[in-house]
Structure formats: C-alpha cells, structure tokens
Amino acid sequence: MDRQYRSADFSFEPAANFNSNFNNPNGSGQTSRTSTIVATPYGTPREPYPYPVNENGYPLDNKGGPIPPYNPRERDPFDDRNEYPEDNKGKQPYIQERQLDRTPVNISRDSIDLEKQHHGAHGAHGAHEKHDTAIDPHAKDPNQPKLPFFGVRLNHFTWAWYTLTMSTGGIATLISTQPHAFPGLISIGAVFYVVNLIFFVFLCSMMILRFSKFPGSFKESLTHEREGLFFPTFWLSVATIITGTQKYVVASYDVTHPMRGWLTTSMAVAFWLYVFCTFSLAVFQYSFLFVGHTYLLTKFMPSWLLPIFPIMLAGTIASVIAADQPVASRMPMISAGLGCQGLGFTVAIVMYSHYIGRLMQVGLPNREHRPALFIGVGPPSFTILALIGMANALPPDFDLQGDGLLDGNLLRTLAITIALFLWVLAMWFFMIALVATLHSLPQYFHLGLWASVFPNTGFCLATIAIGNALNDEVIRYVGNGFSIFIITLWFFVFTLNVRAVIVADIMYPGRDEDVPD
C-alpha cells in the first residue's frame, strides 16, 4: 500500500517501551508545553516497514519497485515517524493531505473534430490532407455488400426519419405566412402540406413494418442512447401538422361556415392532447436518460435538446390557433402555451452552457454532424414566434386586473421587445453553425442534415413576425429572401436524402442513428 494513504495508528494500547513520564518529571503524564514536537532523531535508523522489503532491506512501493534509501535530512511529510505538531487537545496528529493530480486526460472520441486532431498532429508540416479512413468513424466502405431494402436495411429505418416530415411541415407553415403573397402562393403551400401528410403516413407505415418484422426493435429504438433522442421528432412532425391544418384547412372555411366551428373545437382538443403527451415525453424521457445512459459533457450535441423541443412548440401551436378560439377557451390555451414555451426555452438555456463549454473544450463536432448545430437556432426563434403570436391573439380589450388599462397593448409591446432581444441570439447561433458547416462540409449524408432546415424555418418565421409587428417593409423583404433560401435548401437536402437511400449511405448497418457516436 502506498505510504501517503496509510492511516495513522490510533491504538489505545500503550507500547512496550512507552514512557508515560517522558516529558513531565512529576510523573503526571501530561506535558507542560502547549504544543509538543514529536520527532525521530536524525541519524536514528527507522524500524522495519510493515510492508514487504527487497533483498537489500528497502521497502517496496505499491508497484513492486524499491523506495529510495532513507535520508535522515529529508523528512517525509507522509511518514508518521517524522516530525508533526500534536493536536492541542492531545487526541490526534495533524494529517497533511497530498494534492492528487487531477489533470484531465485527453481521450479521443468519435464526435470530436477530426480536422482539429489532424491539424494538431501535422500542423507543423502544413499538411491538410483528407482524413484517413482508418480514424474516421463515418467513412464508408466502398466495397460494402448490397442488402435487400425490406430485409436488413429496414431494421435501420430510425426515428430520425421524422426530421423529413417536421422540415416539410415547417416549409408549409412558412409559405402560409409570407408577407408579400402572390396568386397561387397558398396553393403551393397546400401542396407542401399534403405532401407532408403523405410522408408522415409513409414513415409511420415503415416504422410499424420495422417493429413488426424485428421483434424487440421498438423498445431498443426508444432506449438507444442515440436513436432514442430522435423520438421527439415524431411529435415535432405532429406539431407541424396541427399548425398546417389551421393554416390550410380551418382557414379555408368562412367564419360563418358550420364546419368552421367543428374544426376549431377539434384544434383545441388536439392542442391539449399534444400538451399532455409532450409534457409526459419531456419528463419521462429525460428521467430515463438521467439513469439509463451516461453522456459525457465533452461529447455534447444539440440533439440533447430534442426531448424538450415538442413541449416548447406547444407555445407556437397556441400562437397559431388561439386567435380563432372562443375567448373562454382562448385564455387557458394562451396561458398553457406561455408556460410550455417558458419550460422549453429555460431548459434550452441550461443546455446552451454545456453546448458552449463543449465547443470551447474539444472544438467543433465531426464534419458529418455539424449541420446539427443549427438546432441551437430553434429555441429563441420559436420563442419569438410564440410570444408575438400569443400577444396578438389576446382580445383587443384585454384587461387583466380590471383597472381600465389595456394590458393587451402593453403585452404586445413587451413581446416585441423580447423578440428583438432573442432575434440577435438566434442570429448568432445561426452564424456559428453556418461558419462551422461551411468550414468543413459533410462528405456523407445523415438525416441530421435536416436540422439545417427545420430550426431555420422558425428563424425565418420569427423574422417575418418581427417585421409585421414593427410594420417594417425592409424586415419583411428580408423574411421573403430568407424564405426562398430555406425552400431551396429543402429541395437540396431532399435530393441528397433520396440519393443516400439509393447508394446505401443510410439505412445500412453502421450508417444510421442506431449506432453510438
């Protein structure tokens, strides 16, 4: 046992050669000094150590090696035979604690920036070669065998596929809110809404087929340390379907149409069911993650935010559908939406500290995962959209205290103020993610690339909402231009998605979100 960890011997039995009158000539056994120094005289050979010694009589350390010979002029602070001051109460000696070396160990992980490692290893020679496939966990085997689509590949149809439908539904909602509309714009948005419904039904069918064909895969998908984090994208897709239904179905009926009242009530029921399910998701999934898996903070990815995203979008849903609700049901909906939005944004702020800390400590994620950094744009963007939308949904004569003051106008002004505060934060996260992605573009398609679409639709919607609230045409045109960029990006990512399925970049063993990374 190492000497610094030897506990002091506090035996109450006196030693054979112990002299109780060693310092008091009166024989009382008590010292006349307030602090006594107990010392081993220099030059006096020490007694044998209680642990093994080698052939020369020197003790062995905990690794089996000899400890250097005893030098009487070099005191060992961890040896209880050297000088130490007695406790004033005469009970126990002071123990000097040794400072252990807690320097963090640099452990190579799959999600760290390989370019940073490569540059550190070869930067002195100015080398910027491509990554060696031997150290790149995302490198594709060019000779990988072909597998049947409805065989082994079907088992790798993961929850991350719902990033397609949540992005498509976001595009449909974005088109419906354009400030400078033209004839046929709503028809284009309706096409995206219908296509999103078709995609959603197709994805649900494929997931049911996977779980039926491979028993036990449903539980494994939900409890998997990486794929399970994408289960909330299913609920995000449901959120975009609810908002799309309000924009393209409910709004298509006249206010006096009898169908309008039934649809309005159905939207309220869908909202409350959504709030219950997503709040339960936020509680139970995070509870499982806390006890079921161990995630290193140096491996933080924005996908850790996904379980809180669905309940946060309850505020966005409320901002879209509340204005058409009767006042009696509108106010509880706005109150619940505001609370849910606050919950989601607060948890996101807590996660942001780990996000920035990870970037500062180990650098950017691997190039294949950098588009996921756009997830950080979502919380402030959707909070802007929710606050402005819910403030506008308040009745014109809203008076909370009944004191004659129009609190609705005050809350609308406050919502615009907070929106401007958060918009710059969203822009900062957008630029960080954009620079990181452009610095090293992904070489292989992953479904996480859809993260560059959905959060940015929220950012674009927030920009348009601010422009409408301030009645600023410049901001509105900026929103129009940004919308064109997001829609173009959707077509680009969708093309890459289809190609990835054909060439087996995804839905292939080791290529999807069902493997740890």
Side-chain angles (χ1 to χ4, degrees):
M1 183 176 181
D2 201 353
R3 284 182 297 167
Q4 59 264 31
Y5 297 108
R6 275 195 302 128
S7 59
D9 184 9
F10 296 109
S11 175
F12 293 95
E13 298 294 335
N17 58 352
F18 178 74
N19 181 9
S20 61
N21 301 325
F22 66 94
N23 196 43
N24 191 345
N26 299 325
S28 62
Q30 299 291 331
T31 177
S32 60
R33 291 179 294 176
T34 58
S35 179
T36 304
I37 300 298
V38 181
T40 299
Y42 289 135
T44 304
R46 294 191 290 185
E47 298 175 3
Y49 284 88
Y51 35 80
V53 296
N54 60 10
E55 62 277 5
N56 296 323
Y58 294 130
L60 300 177
D61 61 8
N62 58 349
K63 296 182 179 179
I67 297 177
Y70 169 70
N71 187 347
R73 297 191 178 277
E74 294 183 0
R75 292 184 299 175
D76 184 0
F78 302 104
D79 191 351
D80 55 8
R81 293 186 58 84
N82 283 290
E83 295 179 358
Y84 55 81
E86 271 192 356
D87 183 34
N88 290 335
K89 297 181 180 180
K91 293 183 178 180
Q92 61 183 8
Y94 290 105
I95 303 298
Q96 182 177 355
E97 296 182 357
R98 180 176 181 180
Q99 297 295 330
L100 300 179
D101 184 11
R102 301 186 182 274
T103 305
V105 180
N106 184 17
I107 302 176
S108 176
R109 299 184 178 93
D110 294 340
S111 63
I112 65 175
D113 186 3
L114 293 178
E115 285 190 343
K116 191 171 185 178
Q117 277 193 335
H118 189 75
H119 179 75
H122 304 284
H125 304 285
H128 295 281
E129 299 87 352
K130 294 183 179 179
H131 299 159
D132 184 4
T133 58
I135 62 173
D136 189 351
H138 301 277
K140 178 183 176 181
D141 182 6
N143 299 318
Q144 64 182 18
K146 292 184 179 180
L147 299 175
F149 184 84
F150 289 98
V152 178
R153 293 188 64 182
L154 179 63
N155 194 28
H156 300 280
F157 195 90
T158 65
W159 292 107
W161 269 91
Y162 284 98
T163 56
L164 166 63
T165 49
M166 73 181 191
S167 299
T168 308
I171 293 294
T173 305
L174 177 61
I175 293 176
S176 67
T177 59
Q178 292 303 302
H180 301 100
F182 57 85
L185 180 64
I186 295 300
S187 298
I188 296 175
V191 170
F192 272 93
Y193 170 72
V194 174
V195 169
N196 184 48
L197 291 178
I198 296 173
F199 283 164
F200 186 78
V201 172
F202 173 76
L203 296 184
C204 291
S205 302
M206 293 294 291
M207 293 298 289
I208 293 174
L209 184 60
R210 171 199 173 186
F211 299 146
S212 302
K213 187 176 178 63
F214 301 95
S217 58
F218 176 70
K219 180 180 178 181
E220 292 176 0
S221 67
L222 293 180
T223 58
H224 192 271
E225 62 180 274
R226 186 180 174 203
E227 183 183 357
L229 291 173
F230 288 90
F231 174 62
T233 59
F234 169 84
W235 295 101
L236 293 174
S237 300
V238 173
T240 61
I241 292 175
I242 295 175
T243 56
T245 302
Q246 175 68 32
K247 293 289 187 179
Y248 294 103
V249 179
V250 179
S252 64
Y253 289 94
D254 189 73
V255 178
T256 59
H257 196 284
M259 194 69 175
R260 180 72 175 255
W262 180 84
L263 288 173
T264 300
T265 304
S266 300
M267 297 304 293
V269 173
F271 169 79
W272 290 109
L273 287 176
Y274 179 85
V275 169
F276 174 77
C277 294
T278 54
F279 184 78
S280 300
L281 171 70
V283 172
F284 291 109
Q285 184 167 16
Y286 273 123
S287 297
F288 171 76
L289 295 177
F290 294 157
V291 301
H293 297 293
T294 300
Y295 294 94
L296 300 176
L297 295 182
T298 54
K299 205 176 179 181
F300 178 90
M301 285 299 293
S303 57
W304 295 7
L305 284 168
L306 289 178
I308 205 65
F309 248 86
I311 188 62
M312 181 174 62
L313 259 68
T316 304
I317 297 175
S319 68
V320 173
I321 70 176
D324 285 343
Q325 297 292 323
V327 176
S329 60
R330 184 187 312 179
M331 300 312 298
M333 184 178 295
I334 293 177
S335 300
L338 182 62
C340 294
Q341 193 71 39
L343 169 64
F345 185 71
T346 303
V347 174
I349 289 295
V350 173
M351 291 290 191
Y352 280 157
S353 61
H354 301 308
Y355 176 26
I356 302 300
R358 175 250 157 84
L359 296 180
M360 295 292 289
Q361 184 173 2
V362 299
L364 295 169
N366 185 279
R367 63 170 183 262
E368 312 298 336
H369 296 318
R370 292 188 186 182
L373 298 178
F374 284 105
I375 295 178
V377 181
S381 300
F382 287 108
T383 302
I384 293 171
L385 186 62
L387 292 179
I388 294 179
M390 287 186 288
N392 292 334
L394 293 171
D397 57 347
F398 177 69
D399 187 359
L400 184 61
Q401 287 82 17
D403 53 3
L405 297 177
L406 297 180
D407 296 325
N409 293 332
L410 176 62
L411 291 177
R412 278 185 280 271
T413 302
L414 181 61
I416 296 173
T417 304
I418 299 176
L420 294 174
F421 182 88
L422 295 178
W423 188 88
V424 182
L425 176 63
M427 171 61 78
W428 185 78
F429 278 115
F430 174 80
M431 295 305 299
I432 292 294
L434 181 64
V435 171
T437 304
L438 294 179
H439 178 263
S440 183
L441 295 174
Q443 293 188 7
Y444 303 100
F445 179 84
H446 290 273
L447 291 169
L449 188 59
W450 284 110
S452 62
V453 178
F454 178 71
N456 292 331
T457 60
F459 186 36
C460 189
L461 288 168
T463 304
I464 295 173
I466 292 175
N468 292 334
L470 298 177
N471 197 22
D472 192 313
E473 286 296 318
V474 175
I475 299 179
R476 288 170 176 168
Y477 278 111
V478 170
N480 289 140
F482 198 19
S483 300
I484 295 174
F485 169 75
I486 297 299
I487 295 172
T488 305
L489 182 61
W490 183 92
F491 281 102
F492 175 72
V493 177
F494 180 75
T495 303
L496 294 179
N497 195 344
V498 174
R499 178 186 175 276
V501 175
I502 296 174
V503 301
D505 278 350
I506 58 176
M507 289 188 66
Y508 197 89
R511 307 293 302 168
D512 299 272
E513 286 71 21
D514 55 353
V515 293
D517 194 19

